[in-house]
């Protein structure tokens, strides 16, 4: 390895930074029509009548369709897909792209206008008159649980499913019965708006003849999209080509199959004209799924020394109005991680999923795992307080394998962790953050009674990613596999084309893939071109989510490279008249061992393979190999994050003043990209801890859909982070790599809230809900001080 | 986030702008930096039929020394106010406050006149102009008049300017060696203040409050307490008196009242140190 492991600027960036990247809104088709969306202003209502006369007569309008009309037109053969029916009896009333008789969240579609301009489409949509009969609204998980009101008139309970992971319930009960210490944490994972920099958009272009359709969409999942489009629209899959052009961030919010996507494809197919739409920023709070939305209860039983005996967890999860592609499964992805990095003899997890009248929820950076790591890591701090030891010490006492290196270790949550080495990782972070000095400074400020108090919080997380073993996914009732496909081909003139089924949307796959290929084949990374995100170029793939791209897709590429070298070796041996076993391959050159002059570059072999003039007998021409890799296990990155906050006791303001993270994602292909992922991931978790929350009123209105009051942090709010790593190779793939896309988010929210609670601990404060707004902090302090601030 | 159709008129002089306003009446809106108006239009909360663009008008963005005061053209951008050495030395509060508005792109578009005309109780620059005892020069079909800042803000997003008038200049008395302070409390650097305070301790100390009522306002109770010889702490303790703070996602009225007391005390302490 020479190129892998070294920081390298991203080859994607010059294009993106100079405005050459082609996003959905940069792509146009002749004769295109804009969809103007008519959305419900009610969270729950019956549609009484719709009058489209005025809208149909508006300038530039091609046609207007109500949900009922679309239903009659037979544009779809199945409801929107939910690929993860987590239980056999999960309740999932059919959900079609446009509501025909009942709307179930603000922003639910009721009609669509097609118009020759974007402005005209919005103007005309405003002219559609809809008569609603408002119905009672379920605007919180708490309201859903009572079943006093139904979020959907077709259901008899808001509870859609109950799912349990209870390998040994009696052991859990016994652990609690035997405990010297028990702690209970009740936490709320507020809803978050994913807010990718580029909102979602679509452009469906029908071919003039033959019924083919090319569908551009700002998605993470073009391959899954193609399958799902075929399944829901009835258009033959081989007539559909899906292209994800430059995609400006996804964070899970672009892995869905959305009403607007089905609509664009079916309407374009029906009328024979291109159909497009781009959501506006505030529309995205209704047209794109949201993240989190869980009420969590975690209980820990421990012995007198704080050694954990058992953990019990219950979640009430907010599905929102509909089950989208992965909605019900998100809490399950977290279920295995409520035992954290700890040795937990007995574990039980239950989760109830509830319908509400809010925007559907689904995967958002970390999907279930940030929630899990938040709960266990907050609860570990509670346990430390209860036992009377520091947060570092309580962790040391409980680390899996005693904090030492391990491989393939079975945990109480039934999973086998590929590898870990938690103790040294924690110690490295404590040293890097200078934990002892921070504690001393905290003590000084406390004694001096300063108004700005310091809080130090840590989180030792583990995460599960690299989705993943197809069989394991089958066990969870997940509708698809978890493999990834790669093809490597040498072109006759010596450059390399890589075809990847994994779909970047900002992560820099082209750079990382080029580095892997460059090392494996001994070529210049700039001579490697990566084809992706277009089902015509890369027909096989399962796309990008769950930090799977490198561990699964990158591994497939490395393995395909190996196959290319194997074939090239045979040709080289033939050309050099040597035994293949006597050839060494290094730096792109085949050499006969001991005969330095007898050599041939792999590009030369590629040309030979192309002309096929002189290949070994029976060998197929061309140098092209493919691999579909389905790993045996997930990967489990881990790390320690330490946050330092300053709490202004007079205003309640919280300032993040320091952040140290030591992450272990195994060997790093491009450390610069890993750091970038950590920076962004960490900030997304900090954002949940301090700023972001999709707030709903009792009528089910999202009160802050725009950036005016949905507070996404900027660089001004975040200190310089100190990042470092440890390297513990995975046993799940030959590269030993783990994922890095979500780890930052999984580690940071708990670290920050632990820090805030630490700052407030002299007043007996042990918890604060997210986001820890200044008002909340001030009020908690005032109450803790006995009503005086 | 898609504005409605409208007619666009570019005015090349103040007179042309006034003529256009007279012609279209309440259908028309002036467009300066657009950083308050355009967001409202995108949400269709403002739907003007005619936009009269004054942003490219010459001669209305100068910052000049006019003897006892500094004359700031209505179209001076926040960034120009921030970096004006004249203001930095003669009315440093205004330059400082301008540097705390939004983010750099906002400061390179938004104008002082626009900020005052918009009259948002959450905005920063009106508070500075109030604390500095400034006045606003407006021009209309009947000529020019000068309005004291204390009389300028009449209601929620309402000012003393009539539909056919345009702000041409803002007069900022030189604050000399008077101590001053600006306290802006928000959750992110780029945000409006949850509560803010501007103070200038001249011969008669002036203190103004951001986001504590329907308009940008002077902290009357604080000023009276100071005039009566009260200490900073005493004056700060009445900061919320006579105000009617709003409640929103960032804070309710009780919290804002508290912040006003904390921030006024900090402002008075800083201004007198
Ligand atoms: C992201 C963002 C963050 C911001 N943060 C802050 C902040 O932290 N603090 C703050 O104070 N402000 C903030 N602002 C508002 C910003 O300062 C605005 O630029 C300013 O309030 C209005 O000035 P403008 O020139 O853009 O006015 P415009 O938006 O062009 O106009 C505003 C109103 O004033 C009228 N008007 C404009 N000029 C004149 C004139 N010469 N005579 C008469 N009427 C006129 C217009 O008709 C309109 O009604 C922010 C804005 C944005 C978009």
């Amino acid at each position: 390895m020479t190129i892998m492991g070294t920081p390298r600027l991203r080859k994607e960036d010059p294009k993106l930074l100079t405005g050459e990247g082609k996003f959905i809104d940069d792509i146009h088709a002749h004769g295109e029509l804009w969809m103007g969306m008519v959305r419900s202003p009610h969270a729950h209502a019956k549609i009484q009548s719709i009058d489209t006369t005025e809208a149909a007569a508006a300038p530039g309008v091609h046609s207007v369709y109500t949900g009922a009309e679309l239903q009659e037109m037979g544009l779809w053969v199945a409801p929107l897909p939910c690929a993860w029916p987590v239980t056999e009896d999960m309740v999932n009333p059919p959900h079609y792209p446009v509501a025909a008789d009942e709307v179930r969240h603000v922003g639910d579609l009721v009609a669509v206008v097609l118009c020759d301009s974007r402005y005209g489409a919005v103007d005309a949509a405003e002219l559609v008159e809809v008569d609603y009969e408002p119905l009672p609204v379920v605007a919180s998980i708490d309201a859903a649980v009572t079943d006093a009101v139904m979020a959907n008139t077709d259901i008899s309970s808001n509870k859609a499913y109950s799912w349990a992971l209870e390998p040994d319930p009696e052991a859990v009960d016994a652990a609690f019965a035997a405990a010297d210490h028990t702690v209970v944490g009740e936490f709320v994972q507020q809803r978050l708006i994913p807010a990718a920099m580029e909102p979602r958009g679509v452009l469906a272009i029908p071919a003039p003849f033959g019924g083919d359709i090319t569908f551009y969409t700002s998605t993470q999942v073009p391959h899954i999209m193609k399958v799902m489009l075929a399944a829901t629209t009835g258009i033959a899959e081989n007539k559909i080509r899906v292209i994800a052009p430059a995609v400006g961030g996804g964070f899970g919010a672009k892995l869905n199959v959305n009403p607007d996507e089905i609509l664009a494809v079916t309407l374009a197919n029906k009328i024979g004209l291109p159909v497009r739409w781009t959501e506006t920023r505030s529309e995205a709070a209704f047209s794109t799924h949201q993240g989190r939305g869980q009420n969590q209860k975690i209980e820990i039983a421990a012995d007198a020394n704080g050694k954990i005996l058992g953990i019990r967890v219950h979640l009430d999860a907010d599905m929102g109005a509909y089950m989208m592609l992965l909605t019900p499964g998100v809490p399950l992805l977290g279920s295995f991680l409520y035992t954290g990095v700890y040795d937990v003899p007995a574990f039980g997890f239950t989760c109830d999923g509830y319908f509400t009248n809010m925007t559907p929820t689904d995967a958002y950076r970390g999907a279930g795992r940030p929630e899990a790591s938040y709960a266990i890591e907050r609860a570990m701090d509670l346990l430390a307080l209860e036992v009377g030891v520091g947060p570092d010490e309580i962790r040391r006492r409980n680390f899996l394998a005693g904090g030492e290196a391990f491989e393939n270790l079975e945990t109480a949550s039934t999973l086998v962790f590929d590898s870990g080495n938690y103790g040294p990782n924690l110690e490295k972070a404590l040293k890097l953050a200078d934990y002892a000095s921070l504690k001393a400074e905290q003590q000084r400020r406390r004694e001096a009674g300063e108004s700005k108090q310091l809080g130090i919080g840590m989180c030792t997380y583990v995460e599960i990613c690299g989705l993943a073993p197809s069989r394991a996914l089958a066990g969870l009732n997940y509708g698809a596999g978890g493999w990834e496909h790669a093809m490597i081909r040498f072109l006759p003139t010596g450059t390399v084309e890589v075809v990847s089924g994994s779909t970047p949307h900002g992560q820099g796959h082209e750079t990382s893939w080029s580095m892997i290929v460059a090392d494996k084949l001994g070529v210049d990374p700039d001579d490697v071109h990566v084809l992706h995100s277009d089902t015509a170029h890369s027909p096989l793939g399962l796309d990008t989510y769950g930090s799977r791209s490198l561990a699964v897709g990158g591994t497939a590429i490395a393995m395909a490279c190996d196959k290319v070298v194997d074939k090239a070796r045979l040709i080289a041996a033939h050309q050099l008249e040597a035994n293949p076993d006597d050839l060494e391959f290094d730096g792109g050159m085949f050499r006969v061992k001991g005969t330095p002059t007898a050599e041939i570059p792999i590009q030369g072999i590629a040309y030979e393979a192309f002309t096929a003039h002189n290949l070994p007998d029976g060998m197929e021409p061309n140098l092209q190999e493919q691999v579909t890799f389905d790993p045996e296990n997930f990967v489990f990155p881990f790390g320690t994050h330490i946050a330092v906050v300053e709490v202004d006791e007079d205003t309640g303001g919280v300032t993040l003043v320091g952040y140290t993270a030591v992450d272990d994602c195994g060997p790093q292909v491009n450390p610069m990209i890993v750091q970038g992922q950590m920076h962004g991931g960490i900030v997304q978790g900090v954002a949940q801890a301090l700023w972001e929350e999709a707030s709903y009123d009792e009528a089910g209105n999202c009160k802050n859909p725009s950036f005016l009051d949905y507070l996404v942090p900027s660089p001004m709010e975040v200190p310089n982070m100190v990042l470092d790593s440890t390297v513990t190779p995975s046993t799940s793939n030959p590269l030993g790599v783990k994922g890095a896309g979500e780890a930052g988010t999984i580690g940071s929210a708990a670290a920050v809230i632990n820090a805030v609670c630490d700052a407030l601990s002299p007043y007996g404060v042990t918890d604060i809900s997210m986001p820890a707004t200044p008002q909340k902090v001030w009020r908690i302090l005032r109450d803790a001080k006995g009503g005086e601030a | 986030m898609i504005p409605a159709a409208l007619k666009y008129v570019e005015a090349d002089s103040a007179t042309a702008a006034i003529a256009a306003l007279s012609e279209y009446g309440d259908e028309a809106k002036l467009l300066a930096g657009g950083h308050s108006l355009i967001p409202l239009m995108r949400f269709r909360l403002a739907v003007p039929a005619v936009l009269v663009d004054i942003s490219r008008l010459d001669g209305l963005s100068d910052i000049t020394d006019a003897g006892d005061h500094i004359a700031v053209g209505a179209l001076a951008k926040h960034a120009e106010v921030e970096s004006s050495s004249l203001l930095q030395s003669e009315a440093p509060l205004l330059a400082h406050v301008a540097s705390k508005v939004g983010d750099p792109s906002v400061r390179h578009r938004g104008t002082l006149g626009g900020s005052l005309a918009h009259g948002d109780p959450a905005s920063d620059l009106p508070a500075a102009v109030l604390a500095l005892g400034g006045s606003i020069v407006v021009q209309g079909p009947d000529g020019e008049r000068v309005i004291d800042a204390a009389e300028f803000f009449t209601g929620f997003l309402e000012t003393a300017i009539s539909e056919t008038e345009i702000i041409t200049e803002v007069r900022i008395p030189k604050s000399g060696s008077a101590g001053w302070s600006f306290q802006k409390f928000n959750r992110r650097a780029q945000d409006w203040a949850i509560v803010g305070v501007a103070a200038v301790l001249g011969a008669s100390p002036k203190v103004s409050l951001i986001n504590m009522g329907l308009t940008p306002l002077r902290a009357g109770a604080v000023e009276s307490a100071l005039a009566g010889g009260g200490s900073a702490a005493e004056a700060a303790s009445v900061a919320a008196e006579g105000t009617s703070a709003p409640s929103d996602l960032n804070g309710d009225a009780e919290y804002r009242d508290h912040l006003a007391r904390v921030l006024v005390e900090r402002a008075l302490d800083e201004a007198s140190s």
Side-chain angles (χ1 to χ4, degrees):
Chain A
M1 287 216 263
T2 52
I3 294 166
M4 277 198 264
T6 53
R8 192 176 167 84
L9 287 173
R10 306 194 326 162
K11 59 160 71 177
E12 293 88 342
D13 287 345
K15 216 168 71 175
L16 294 173
L17 294 174
T18 55
E20 294 288 306
K22 292 278 176 273
F23 298 84
I24 284 286
D25 261 14
D26 300 312
I27 302 165
H28 292 277
H30 185 68
E32 64 188 18
L33 296 171
W34 279 87
M35 291 194 285
M37 304 300 200
V38 183
R39 297 185 180 279
S40 168
H42 298 281
H44 196 191
K46 282 273 176 219
I47 300 169
Q48 301 283 45
S49 63
I50 303 185
D51 183 350
T52 59
T53 335
E54 233 188 301
V61 170
H62 172 280
S63 45
V64 186
Y65 306 97
T66 66
E69 287 164 358
L70 289 163
Q71 204 73 34
E72 259 169 48
M73 285 157 69
L75 289 190
W76 35 75
V77 297
L80 284 165
C82 174
W84 203 340
V86 293
T87 58
E88 295 296 321
D89 58 353
M90 183 181 90
V91 177
N92 184 20
H95 168 211
Y96 290 96
V98 182
D101 56 358
E102 182 176 322
V103 290
R104 302 191 178 101
H105 67 90
V106 172
D108 219 354
L109 285 174
V110 294
V112 57
V113 173
L114 291 179
C115 182
D116 62 7
S117 81
R118 186 178 197 191
Y119 285 71
V122 174
D123 287 344
E126 276 195 350
L127 298 175
V128 173
E129 277 185 34
V130 188
D131 228 358
Y132 296 96
E133 178 200 333
L135 294 170
V137 172
V138 180
S140 67
I141 305 179
D142 292 336
V145 172
T146 66
D147 266 347
V149 167
M150 293 304 142
N152 181 326
T153 54
D154 291 339
I155 58 180
S156 53
S157 165
N158 292 314
K159 191 190 289 188
Y161 71 84
S162 288
W163 189 86
L165 173 67
E166 294 183 297
D168 190 349
E170 280 165 26
V172 178
D173 291 343
F176 278 85
D180 294 298
H181 297 290
T182 53
V183 291
V184 183
E186 292 190 81
F187 308 117
V188 176
Q189 296 288 333
Q190 77 271 34
R191 278 173 167 258
L192 301 175
I193 297 175
M197 200 183 300
E198 182 208 20
R200 287 193 312 103
V202 297
L203 169 60
I205 308 175
F209 310 103
D212 289 8
I213 194 139
T214 301
F215 183 46
Y216 291 89
T217 178
S218 183
T219 189
Q220 301 172 220
V221 291
H223 296 92
I224 294 174
M225 179 68 62
K226 185 166 72 115
V227 178
M228 293 301 172
L229 283 175
T232 48
T233 66
I235 300 171
E237 192 184 340
N238 54 16
K239 295 276 185 187
I240 304 171
R241 172 180 180 186
V242 181
I243 302 174
V247 175
F251 312 113
K254 292 182 183 168
L255 59 59
N256 235 307
V257 178
N258 294 285
D260 42 83
E261 291 173 310
I262 306 279
L263 260 183
V265 168
T266 50
L267 287 173
N269 191 47
K270 173 89 188 163
I271 66 177
L273 288 170
V275 171
R276 74 178 304 135
W277 170 79
T278 303
E279 70 187 355
T280 67
R281 178 58 64 190
S282 331
E283 193 177 18
F286 313 104
S287 51
T288 293
H289 71 249
Q290 299 182 349
R292 317 281 187 258
Q294 295 180 359
N295 289 353
Q296 309 173 296
K297 181 174 182 188
I298 179 167
E299 299 166 88
I300 304 184
D303 71 12
N305 291 322
K307 172 73 192 67
I308 298 171
L309 302 173
I311 291 181
R312 193 152 51 199
V313 176
H314 178 75
L315 302 186
D316 289 328
D318 179 357
M319 306 286 102
Y322 300 110
M323 296 297 188
M324 300 296 286
L325 196 65
L326 305 179
T327 304
V330 170
L332 276 62
L333 275 177
S335 64
F336 304 98
L337 292 182
Y338 283 86
T339 53
V341 285
Y342 309 114
D343 177 23
V344 178
F347 174 63
F349 171 96
T350 53
C351 172
D352 296 330
Y354 289 94
F355 286 111
T356 61
N357 293 118
M358 297 182 276
T359 301
T361 60
D362 204 316
Y364 174 57
R365 203 167 191 170
R369 290 104 81 212
E371 295 93 314
S373 106
Y374 183 85
I376 178 65
E377 289 301 293
R378 288 284 303 113
M380 286 307 279
D381 269 29
L382 296 178
L383 182 61
L385 285 175
E386 162 80 18
V387 176
V389 298
D392 50 339
E393 182 56 23
I394 199 75
R395 287 169 169 80
R396 278 188 204 101
R397 290 185 189 178
N398 283 290
F399 277 148
L400 273 171
E404 307 207 340
F406 66 80
E407 281 188 357
N408 303 328
L409 188 70
E410 181 157 2
T411 68
S413 67
T414 70
L415 290 184
V416 174
F417 283 13
D418 58 348
S419 65
N421 194 4
Y422 302 144
N425 182 277
L426 169 67
E427 304 309 330
K428 186 168 183 177
L430 291 171
K431 200 162 158 219
L432 210 54
D434 200 356
Y435 190 63
S437 303
L438 287 170
K439 287 308 263 185
E441 168 63 10
Q442 176 183 60
Q443 196 53 34
R444 190 195 64 73
R445 291 194 195 191
R446 280 179 183 169
E447 279 160 16
E450 288 184 14
S451 64
K452 287 191 177 157
Q453 290 292 325
L454 214 56
I456 308 137
M458 65 184 65
C459 169
T460 48
Y461 73 90
V462 61
E463 89 116 322
I464 172 178
C465 63
L467 304 181
S470 300
R471 287 181 185 187
L473 294 177
L476 292 171
N477 231 16
Y478 178 74
W483 47 263
E484 194 48 86
H485 176 261
M487 182 182 282
I488 309 286
R489 89 174 56 101
F490 259 101
L491 301 181
T493 48
T495 56
V496 182
E497 245 170 27
V498 176
V499 182
S500 174
S502 131
T503 303
H505 39 283
Q507 297 91 340
H509 289 26
E510 292 179 17
T511 304
S512 303
W513 292 180
S514 302
M515 291 169 74
I516 295 173
V517 171
D519 263 357
K520 285 280 183 186
L521 301 182
V523 299
D524 187 325
D526 290 336
D527 282 342
V528 181
H529 183 65
V530 184
L531 298 172
H532 57 77
S533 309
D534 178 342
T535 60
H537 292 160
S538 71
L540 298 173
L542 285 173
D543 304 314
T544 287
Y545 42 84
S547 302
R548 68 188 305 272
S549 290
L550 178 61
V552 192
T555 300
I557 284 168
M559 293 166 78
C561 286
D562 289 342
K563 280 172 88 171
V564 166
V565 173
D566 289 347
K567 179 168 178 181
R569 182 186 301 276
L570 297 179
I571 301 172
H574 180 72
Q575 303 270 332
L576 295 170
E577 294 177 354
N579 187 319
D581 293 340
D582 292 337
L583 290 189
E584 57 182 19
F585 180 62
D586 183 44
M589 198 68 84
F590 286 100
R591 283 191 196 87
V592 181
K593 286 178 203 158
T595 320
T597 49
E599 62 176 28
I600 185 166
I602 192 161
Q603 291 88 346
I605 306 285
Y607 193 74
E608 292 293 342
F610 165 69
T611 63
H613 291 174
N614 184 18
L615 295 179
D617 288 345
M619 179 180 274
E620 279 182 28
N622 285 317
L623 202 46
Q624 163 174 298
E625 294 294 338
Q626 58 180 329
V627 164
T628 302
F629 177 57
D630 195 351
E632 299 265 304
N633 192 4
F634 300 93
V635 293
F636 297 82
F638 59 92
T640 304
H641 288 203
I642 298 177
V644 186
V645 300
E646 216 168 60
V647 175
D648 181 335
E649 295 195 0
D650 295 331
T651 60
V654 176
T655 311
L656 184 65
V657 293
Y659 204 94
T660 304
V662 178
D663 294 284
D664 192 324
C665 58
Q668 301 181 6
V669 172
N670 185 343
M672 194 183 281
I673 284 183
V674 172
Q675 287 213 346
Q677 288 295 319
M678 289 305 162
H679 284 143
I682 287 167
V683 175
Q684 256 168 319
V686 175
Q688 179 177 11
L690 296 181
W691 295 288
E692 295 187 19
E693 171 168 35
S695 297
Y696 282 81
D697 66 17
E698 284 176 7
N701 297 298
C702 179
K703 292 189 281 185
N704 52 347
S706 91
F707 279 170
L708 175 65
D709 32 26
Y710 187 81
L711 306 186
V712 177
S714 78
M716 297 292 286
E717 281 70 55
V718 187
N720 278 332
M721 301 176 204
V722 180
L723 301 185
D724 207 333
S725 54
T726 55
V727 178
T728 309
S730 172
T731 56
S732 302
N733 60 70
L735 293 176
V737 295
K738 302 184 175 185
E742 295 161 296
T745 311
I746 293 168
S748 55
V752 172
I753 295 297
N754 280 342
V756 174
C757 292
D758 182 49
L760 303 181
S761 63
Y763 301 102
V765 175
T766 55
D767 192 28
I768 185 165
S769 65
M770 296 188 289
T773 65
Q775 170 169 291
K776 255 187 225 170
V777 172
W778 168 71
R779 202 154 271 153
I780 281 185
L781 264 178
R782 182 193 60 182
D783 295 348
K785 288 173 177 174
E788 288 165 45
Chain B
M1 301 259 267
I2 309 282
L6 52 81
K7 183 178 164 75
Y8 174 83
V9 177
E10 198 174 330
D12 54 9
S13 67
T15 323
I18 294 162
L21 290 178
S22 304
E23 183 183 345
Y24 297 108
D26 62 3
E27 301 260 271
K29 272 270 175 202
L30 292 175
L31 176 72
H35 268 47
S36 290
L37 184 55
I38 302 258
L40 291 177
M41 289 168 56
R42 285 183 162 274
F43 287 118
R44 299 199 172 191
L45 294 171
V47 191
V50 182
L51 265 192
V52 180
D53 187 350
I54 55 170
S55 65
R56 270 165 283 209
L57 240 163
D58 282 337
L60 274 192
S61 52
D62 298 341
I63 302 175
T64 50
D65 192 331
D68 63 341
H69 68 268
I70 307 296
V72 185
L75 289 175
K77 301 196 164 74
H78 307 337
E80 291 163 345
V81 171
E82 169 186 359
S83 60
S84 153
S85 49
L86 197 53
L87 285 169
Q88 283 167 0
S89 63
E90 301 298 343
L93 173 71
L94 187 67
H96 175 76
V97 170
S99 77
K100 300 291 174 197
V101 174
D103 55 31
S105 52
V106 174
R107 299 198 287 274
H108 280 84
R109 297 296 297 194
T111 65
L112 181 58
S115 185
L116 291 166
H118 193 53
D120 185 344
S123 59
D124 299 319
L125 289 160
V129 175
L130 279 170
L132 285 160
S135 51
I136 292 115
V137 182
V138 302
Q139 216 175 300
D142 306 328
E144 189 176 282
R145 56 191 186 114
V146 182
I147 310 168
D148 193 325
E151 252 94 71
F152 188 76
F153 304 104
T154 54
F156 184 63
L157 302 184
E158 280 173 15
T159 67
I161 329 173
S162 80
E163 268 163 24
T164 50
E165 284 176 319
I166 156 171
I167 302 179
T168 52
E169 185 180 299
V170 183
R171 294 185 179 159
I172 307 292
K174 294 181 178 177
S175 57
S177 58
W180 59 273
S181 175
F182 180 59
Q183 302 289 328
K184 177 173 181 176
F185 185 76
N186 53 16
R187 292 173 64 192
R188 299 178 307 175
Q190 74 205 63
D191 286 327
W192 276 265
I194 299 177
V195 172
V197 176
V200 179
L201 303 184
S204 55
K206 293 191 186 65
V207 180
S208 57
L209 297 172
I210 300 171
N211 228 346
M212 284 299 291
L214 292 178
T215 64
L217 48 93
R218 291 261 292 271
V222 174
E223 292 181 0
S224 310
L226 290 174
S231 67
E234 284 162 351
S237 71
V238 295
E241 274 179 25
T243 64
S244 54
S247 288
D248 57 31
L249 290 174
N250 284 318
D252 57 23
E254 185 195 26
Y255 177 57
R256 282 198 160 88
D257 286 355
H258 166 78
L259 279 180
R261 291 187 287 268
V262 170
L263 298 177
V264 166
E265 184 163 357
R266 285 183 183 177
L268 296 176
D269 286 346
E270 187 183 73
S272 58
S273 67

